[in-house]
Amino acid sequence: SQELEQSPQSLIVQEGKNLTINCTSSKTLYGLYWYKQKYGEGLIFLMMLQKGGEEKSHEKITAKLDEKKQQSSLHITASQPSHAGIYLCGADRSGGSNYKLTFGKGTLLTVNP
Amino acid sequence: DTAVSQTPKYLVTQMGNDKSIKCEQNLGHDTMYWYKQDSKKFLKIMFSYNNKELIINETVPNRFSPKSPDKAHLNLHINSLELGDSAVYFCASSQEWISGNTIYFGEGSWLTVV
């Protein structure tokens, strides 16, 4: 079974609308990373969350990690066409060395002008 | 300047061939990775190296052989290519191989095996 679930799988919104993408882990995380992928541009790092209840913002994007460190949400305010792409959450379960990220299947975001 | 760069960006090759993808990072990081993104967009780790030493090998077929000549480079060589090897391969790096280190990805290499 998939240990890291992202929802929704895809999302179409009108420009200017707010949206939320969720990432849920079946296990407690040591860290949660959000990336954005656009075709031909690789993965762009957005934010990292490590502490329970932590919240970070950058421009119009806010990411939160719940107190149990098993669920994160990514919220975009007043979406723009430039926000379109695939959003991936990456989970750090290593808690030390042998560090790696395990990714969800991604959320495809389309923003219509 | 691109922090993590990989070449080639696109590669089309026939089954049975041997090919290599090169990766270089100019961030001064100690740890480098190869990830594979399959046709369903599922991104999964293949290898990680720390200071030229193999740390993680996620049960990847031994047709895949990473080589790290120095800590700024991690190349991926694939022997006897199969149709199922078609995917996007991402190189990445982080300062250290412990939790809390952001992993930075390259732009990907699109491999198509025909």
Side-chain angles (χ1 to χ4, degrees):
Chain A
S1 63
Q2 180 67 14
E3 293 182 14
L4 196 65
E5 295 283 346
Q6 266 189 254
S7 63
Q9 288 188 12
S10 63
L11 190 55
I12 301 173
V13 299
Q14 204 66 30
E15 183 177 358
K17 296 295 185 184
N18 302 337
L19 64 105
T20 300
I21 298 168
N22 294 300
C23 179
T24 303
S25 172
S26 56
K27 301 175 183 177
T28 299
L29 304 172
Y30 291 95
L32 191 288
Y33 295 72
W34 284 99
Y35 289 84
K36 178 186 174 184
Q37 183 178 15
K38 295 191 87 166
Y39 184 81
E41 295 182 17
L43 275 73
I44 301 165
F45 169 70
L46 297 175
M47 275 173 274
M48 172 183 72
L49 304 164
Q50 284 191 292
K51 299 176 183 175
E54 187 174 10
E55 178 175 325
K56 288 186 177 178
S57 294
H58 177 67
E59 297 180 342
K60 295 184 177 181
I61 301 176
T62 300
K64 300 178 185 179
L65 183 63
D66 74 338
E67 291 290 343
K68 290 185 178 180
K69 296 170 66 175
Q70 286 185 270
Q71 187 166 8
S72 179
S73 61
L74 186 82
H75 185 78
I76 299 177
T77 303
S79 59
Q80 300 169 352
S82 61
H83 287 127
I86 300 172
Y87 289 82
L88 292 157
C89 63
D92 171 16
R93 299 197 185 95
S94 60
S97 57
N98 292 336
Y99 174 51
K100 65 179 180 180
L101 294 182
T102 302
F103 285 90
K105 289 190 175 182
T107 296
L108 174 60
L109 173 63
T110 302
V111 181
N112 290 326
Chain B
D1 286 340
T2 304
V4 181
S5 58
Q6 47 185 115
T7 56
K9 188 163 185 175
Y10 301 101
L11 183 56
V12 180
T13 188
Q14 291 186 324
M15 278 196 324
N17 283 351
D18 304 337
K19 291 294 178 184
S20 292
I21 306 172
K22 295 185 177 181
C23 179
E24 176 182 7
Q25 53 94 4
N26 62 6
L27 297 167
H29 288 170
D30 288 344
T31 308
M32 296 186 72
Y33 311 80
W34 278 108
Y35 277 79
K36 177 181 178 181
Q37 189 175 44
D38 62 24
S39 57
K40 297 182 179 178
K41 304 297 183 186
F42 193 32
L43 187 63
K44 191 172 182 180
I45 190 167
M46 299 173 69
F47 302 101
S48 73
Y49 270 70
N50 187 67
N51 273 321
K52 304 190 297 176
E53 299 294 327
L54 178 66
I55 302 300
I56 292 174
N57 180 341
E58 288 283 305
T59 59
V60 176
N62 56 16
R63 297 183 295 104
F64 292 78
S65 52
K67 294 276 193 307
S68 183
D70 55 63
K71 72 174 190 177
H73 295 84
L74 181 62
N75 304 321
L76 184 65
H77 188 76
I78 314 170
N79 289 327
S80 304
L81 278 156
E82 301 177 356
L83 293 176
D85 297 332
S86 296
V88 185
Y89 292 86
F90 287 97
C91 179
S93 72
S94 64
Q95 184 65 59
E96 296 176 292
W97 59 302
I98 56 175
S99 292
N101 280 271
T102 298
I103 297 178
Y104 295 94
F105 287 81
E107 293 188 344
S109 294
W110 272 251
L111 172 65
T112 302
V113 182
V114 297

